[in-house]
Amino acid sequence: MASGPRCTVRSTVSGNLRVRIASNIQAGPRKAPAAAPADNDRELVHRARAGDTEAFATLVNRYQDPVYNLCRRICRHPEDALDLAQTVFLRAWRSLSGFEAKSTFFTWLYRIAINAALSLRRAERTRIGQSLNDGLPEHAAGRPSAKEHSVPPSRSLEVHEEHAAVAAALAAIDDEFRAAVVLKDVEGLDYADIAAILGVPVGTVKSRIFRGRQALRRLLTGQEG
Amino acid sequence: MTHDERENLAADLSAYLDGELAPADRRRVEHELEASAEARRMLAALREVAQQVRALPREAAPVVLGQRVRDELRRASGRDAGSRRGPAPRVHRMARPLLGAAAIVATGFVAWFAMPRTATPTIDAARFALEPDASHESADVPAAAPLGGIRGRESTARRGGSEPTDHRREPAVAVESERRPAPAVTVARVETSATLALGMPVELLGVSNSELARLDVDARARRLSFDASQPASPASPQPALAAFQVILTPQRQHDFEQTRDLLDRWAAVEPVAVGERIVAYARRDSDAEAAASTPVDKQNSAGEAAAPAAQPEAMSYVVNVPAASAGAWLTDLSRRAQQQLVLTVEYGVPAAKAQRGGGGGVAPSEARRALATAEEADDATGEFKNQNQESNEHRAGERAGKPGEAEGVAAGAERSADDAGRGAIAPNPASRHRPTGGGNGAAADGSARKTAGESLGRIVDGGINVPTSTSVAGGAAGRRGFSLHDVISPIDLGRRAFLLAPSADALRRMSRRIDWLLVPMALLRGQAAAAPAHGPAVQLKVLVVPPGPSPE
């Protein structure tokens, strides 16, 4: 091992790596594709139901980011989120014939995602073994974020810590509350859409969001009430 | 304001925050906000929480997601070709049970007919032979070769060279063929399924013969070459706990560029710079398989020089090492580090085992004996001197006989936890590249821990300049609610947890909080009670930091 050149190489290699990773991470929250072209969706769904995989692939392309992020917020591990997102799309494909277009495709897809995610969480609880990564906060089980090197390390750590704490708290609250909070605060959906996705009345959505925030507050501050 | 009224108000405030109140309710809430400081505080608190959640970073879906879905659709289309196209038609609810039953029956027939009747490699646990044994070749698993004979290849793999893999040399796992139905599941499901590392040496400590063989078979199934060797060390008195160094290398060589390409392509594979190469840890069999089967580009296969080595910025391990192997393990580690890295070694006894005492665990006296075993290090060579073991065990036994000492040691270690975390874990820059003359933090006065610590320090100092500190051994059982940090990524590799921090500075910052590192993996998994008795073990925490200034 030669120490001299390695220092240079390290920064090059690591730098490249981080840049690549950075390109996969977005700057901040973004609105779910509420303004997705519903008419276009309908047409694509119609074609997909007739067996047009390309049409369905277009739908996948369109919704993979919000679906993945939804899964990411509900699953603990990125790879679980990836698997789950894949499952969601495949389940959607298989269930297309049951899609009656009473809601938008997006809402219907989210409902599948939420149900699948909650099922996964229930299954997780029954597992005997746990990975060391269980309970890891944001990014912990994954690669280090590149963003930390674009800001001073101290600040980066603070940001990481904050995100980690929030993600960990989010992971700790009740599944029903988390789903509602994620759909509201992460995905930016309104109560009516959330109610349609969760299959509950709007009043229940209001209550779950409030209780979820309340629980988060307690976890993040250690305070009661 | 009653509790219920406060709750109702808070719920309304939450909805008000989201703009979801009807006009009349909104006016009422606004009126309340004007009049009540408590309402304003509640709103501010809810707003803060909502903002914190909104501020969580969003990630684009991995590229592989769309590809996977498309592949599945294509596969489904292929299956459907000739029968039908498109998504599944709705099946009447009443018909589903019948279809399910039919499917089960059909699957049973298919499985019965498909059951292999050929010889299958199975492992004779008693044959932990390190020697080649041609008489135990199997059709599926190639013949064994002496473990020592693959050392040259190990270095080649580590340098990421472009030489073709030498398939004539095969791992030295004693594999025995038996005529019995193939346990296909055994091959398909590997307990360490999440831990295939590409092209890096992985020490499997305390690995059983069968586990090693399973890993071998699994690696081959994924077209990874499999090397196993024993670190140069005296023969372990507990062969079932012998340490192995395993290198899994894609048969088609790849360099760092290729690894990065893999990482880009397979988002679930995590990049980590370890030692001389960037390592892709595949958490799932499918990912490892996919990564292993990803073709390399022409440039690399043409034999061009591999990319220069990556260097870790900081790396921390915690590992339960069989006491008898601890010295050898450290010696090997320091040899490989070759004065390029600064190692800080902490040590302790797995707390859960020590606390459990009997009942399959390790009694405190045994634990102390394990630590005392580490005293057998030779300053100059870094090897164990086994001839002195008995006398030290005797001394340790005497110490263990003193009432209350176990608790005292644990308590002392507890007290020193913060100190160890803040000061001792982080390497002292001034100590780099110069001998430290043994441990620098023997806090457990009068205990075996202290002497063992100094000895361990000397072991490592024999090959490298290493400050050694005492460790935190107690309290692991009560620390399930540990605080993890996002910059440290623990990776479970077999019986060993790797913790990787992106920078030395990050790790130093984290050092205050990593007492959870000493929580044994088995305890975390809730398997402590079911874990097989591994014999006396020493728990080592190793921090590896490259010399020189921090990248930041």
Side-chain angles (χ1 to χ4, degrees):
Chain A
M1 292 199 286
S3 63
R6 286 182 63 186
C7 292
T8 310
V9 171
R10 173 186 59 202
S11 59
T12 304
V13 171
S14 302
N16 287 347
L17 187 61
R18 287 189 182 113
V19 167
R20 284 169 186 244
I21 291 167
S23 66
N24 207 35
I25 298 175
Q26 310 229 343
R30 97 196 125 185
K31 187 94 173 159
D39 290 344
N40 196 355
D41 278 3
R42 252 193 295 275
E43 168 62 21
L44 289 169
V45 168
H46 181 72
R47 283 167 48 197
R49 288 173 72 162
D52 185 345
T53 55
E54 282 309 312
F56 190 74
T58 307
L59 288 167
V60 171
N61 236 18
R62 184 171 294 172
Y63 293 112
Q64 61 180 357
D65 282 359
V67 166
Y68 174 76
N69 270 282
L70 179 66
C71 297
R72 183 71 187 88
R73 287 287 153 239
I74 293 183
C75 296
R76 294 177 179 217
H77 307 300
E79 63 271 26
D80 284 346
L82 180 60
D83 284 353
L84 183 63
Q86 179 183 341
T87 302
V88 167
F89 283 115
L90 293 177
R91 198 173 287 180
W93 165 256
R94 284 194 292 266
S95 309
L96 267 179
S97 54
F99 174 58
E100 294 168 354
K102 287 177 182 170
S103 60
T104 64
F105 176 74
F106 168 68
T107 303
W108 180 72
L109 195 62
Y110 260 37
R111 193 180 305 149
I112 293 175
I114 286 284
N115 287 334
L118 296 181
S119 297
L120 181 74
R121 293 277 297 180
R122 279 191 290 272
E124 275 181 351
R125 281 193 218 107
T126 63
R127 280 184 202 159
I128 297 171
Q130 281 189 314
S131 162
L132 183 62
N133 293 335
D134 281 0
L136 275 179
E138 181 70 11
H139 290 313
R143 54 187 85 92
S145 165
K147 286 202 291 185
E148 70 197 346
H149 289 276
S150 61
V151 295
S154 57
R155 176 60 193 141
S156 165
L157 279 168
E158 284 170 20
V159 170
H160 267 302
E161 283 176 4
E162 191 175 312
H163 288 167
V166 174
L170 198 55
I173 65 175
D174 187 273
D175 287 344
E176 287 182 340
F177 298 162
R178 181 172 54 256
V181 169
V182 165
L183 289 171
K184 178 65 219 170
D185 287 336
V186 178
E187 300 303 329
L189 303 180
D190 60 30
Y191 283 14
D193 281 345
I194 297 171
I197 289 168
L198 297 179
V200 297
V202 170
T204 306
V205 170
K206 174 185 168 187
S207 169
R208 286 184 185 177
I209 290 173
F210 160 62
R211 292 190 184 285
R213 285 172 176 166
Q214 204 176 32
L216 283 172
R217 170 90 182 149
R218 269 198 294 269
L219 288 167
L220 290 169
T221 63
Q223 294 172 358
E224 285 299 316
Chain B
M1 193 183 292
T2 66
H3 176 75
D4 286 348
E5 286 171 343
R6 193 182 294 118
E7 287 284 293
N8 289 336
L9 173 61
D12 284 344
L13 287 170
S14 175
Y16 173 77
L17 191 64
D18 295 329
E20 294 277 357
L21 284 181
D25 291 331
R26 190 171 66 241
R27 281 193 294 275
R28 178 176 51 77
V29 167
E30 283 169 350
H31 178 72
E32 190 70 39
L33 284 168
E34 283 176 14
S36 166
E38 186 186 2
R40 288 194 293 274
R41 272 198 304 275
M42 289 162 70
L43 181 65
L46 288 167
R47 181 177 285 129
E48 187 185 356
V49 168
Q51 283 171 347
Q52 283 176 311
V53 175
R54 284 176 198 140
L56 287 173
R58 294 182 63 100
E59 297 171 28
V63 180
V64 70
L65 173 59
Q67 188 57 48
R68 280 194 194 177
V69 173
R70 277 189 291 276
D71 288 348
E72 284 294 322
L73 292 181
R74 208 169 296 132
R75 223 167 286 158
S77 297
R79 281 198 299 268
D80 292 341
S83 55
R84 61 172 185 81
R85 279 179 59 81
R90 300 198 83 175
V91 177
H92 194 277
R93 200 166 287 179
M94 294 296 285
R96 287 177 191 170
L98 292 175
L99 287 176
I104 290 169
V105 171
T107 305
F109 273 110
V110 170
W112 189 84
F113 280 112
M115 186 183 291
R117 270 80 174 171
T118 56
T120 304
T122 57
I123 307 305
D124 179 0
R127 294 185 56 82
F128 194 76
L130 303 179
E131 300 79 24
D133 190 346
S135 66
H136 288 88
E137 289 182 24
S138 114
D140 298 309
V141 181
L147 286 171
I150 58 174
R151 288 214 162 274
R153 188 170 151 209
E154 167 196 327
S155 57
T156 299
R158 234 189 265 164
R159 281 196 298 272
S162 57
E163 297 92 338
T165 306
D166 183 357
H167 295 290
R168 289 167 302 178
R169 290 173 170 176
E170 296 298 348
V173 181
V175 178
E176 193 171 69
S177 298
E178 286 184 12
R179 296 281 171 183
R180 65 166 71 171
V185 172
T186 306
V187 177
R189 266 182 45 208
V190 174
E191 287 174 15
T192 54
S193 61
T195 62
L196 283 185
L198 302 181
M200 75 163 288
V202 179
E203 285 80 14
L204 299 178
L205 297 155
V207 65
S208 73
N209 194 24
S210 58
E211 282 173 319
L212 195 63
R214 267 208 302 275
L215 183 58
D216 178 10
V217 173
D218 195 49
R220 285 161 195 284
R222 283 153 182 75
R223 287 195 280 165
L224 296 171
S225 70
F226 176 88
D227 290 353
S229 63
Q230 262 197 315
S233 63
S236 167
Q238 294 173 303
L241 295 173
F244 276 92
Q245 180 170 281
V246 174
I247 300 176
L248 300 170
T249 313
Q251 290 180 12
R252 289 171 292 190
Q253 299 290 329
H254 69 289
D255 60 12
F256 296 123
E257 286 297 325
Q258 287 304 313
T259 306
R260 286 211 300 275
D261 287 342
L262 285 184
L263 303 177
D264 286 344
R265 207 170 304 178
W266 304 100
V269 179
E270 294 183 5
V272 180
V274 175
E276 295 184 72
R277 58 180 59 222
I278 293 173
V279 177
Y281 289 94
R283 293 190 174 226
R284 293 168 185 281
D285 288 350
S286 57
D287 295 330
E289 187 171 7
S293 60
T294 301
V296 296
D297 66 8
K298 292 175 184 172
Q299 188 182 45
N300 190 44
S301 58
E304 287 196 6
Q311 190 175 23
E313 291 175 339
M315 181 163 63
S316 173
Y317 318 75
V318 62
V319 56
N320 287 325
V321 186
S325 309
W329 188 85
L330 286 171
T331 304
D332 182 60
L333 182 66
S334 59
R335 184 181 297 126
R336 284 189 285 119
Q338 292 176 345
Q339 299 194 346
Q340 295 297 311
L341 304 170
V342 175
L343 306 182
T344 299
V345 179
E346 296 191 49
Y347 67 96
V349 178
K353 289 183 177 179
Q355 287 164 1
R356 238 185 8 251
V362 179
S365 60
E366 286 180 275
R368 275 202 199 81
R369 198 173 303 129
L371 285 175
T373 307
E375 291 183 50
E376 306 310 311
D378 182 316
D379 291 4
T381 64
E383 304 280 344
F384 273 130
K385 281 181 180 173
N386 289 324
Q387 62 268 28
N388 292 332
Q389 185 169 340
E390 281 191 13
S391 62
N392 280 283
E393 284 183 359
H394 179 68
R395 285 208 309 274
E398 284 182 347
R399 282 192 293 269
K402 294 176 184 176
E405 184 176 346
E407 291 76 10
V409 170
E414 281 278 352
R415 282 194 298 275
S416 66
D418 287 345
D419 294 338
R422 291 192 187 97
I425 294 174
N428 178 4
S431 69
R432 291 172 179 168
H433 294 300
R434 65 177 176 78
T436 57
N440 66 353
D445 58 315
S447 71
R449 196 175 305 276
K450 179 176 179 179
T451 35
E454 290 168 351
S455 294
L456 283 173
R458 287 198 300 274
I459 293 171
V460 185
D461 281 344
I464 189 173
N465 310 323
V466 178
T468 304
S469 69
T470 52
S471 178
V472 190
R479 291 181 185 164
R480 290 298 298 274
F482 50 78
S483 166
L484 293 179
H485 192 274
D486 53 345
V487 298
I488 290 194
S489 173
I491 297 169
D492 177 359
L493 282 175
R495 295 177 184 278
R496 182 168 173 180
F498 283 75
L499 292 154
L500 300 124
S503 70
D505 185 53
L507 194 56
R508 271 192 286 275
R509 285 169 179 274
M510 279 308 300
S511 62
R512 285 168 298 174
R513 281 180 266 174
I514 55 178
D515 54 351
W516 65 271
L517 286 182
L518 293 182
V519 177
M521 293 288 296
L523 183 68
L524 279 178
R525 290 169 167 166
Q527 296 170 343
H534 290 150
V538 185
Q539 196 160 69
L540 300 174
K541 180 161 61 179
V542 181
L543 173 67
V544 183
V545 180
S550 168
E552 285 103 11

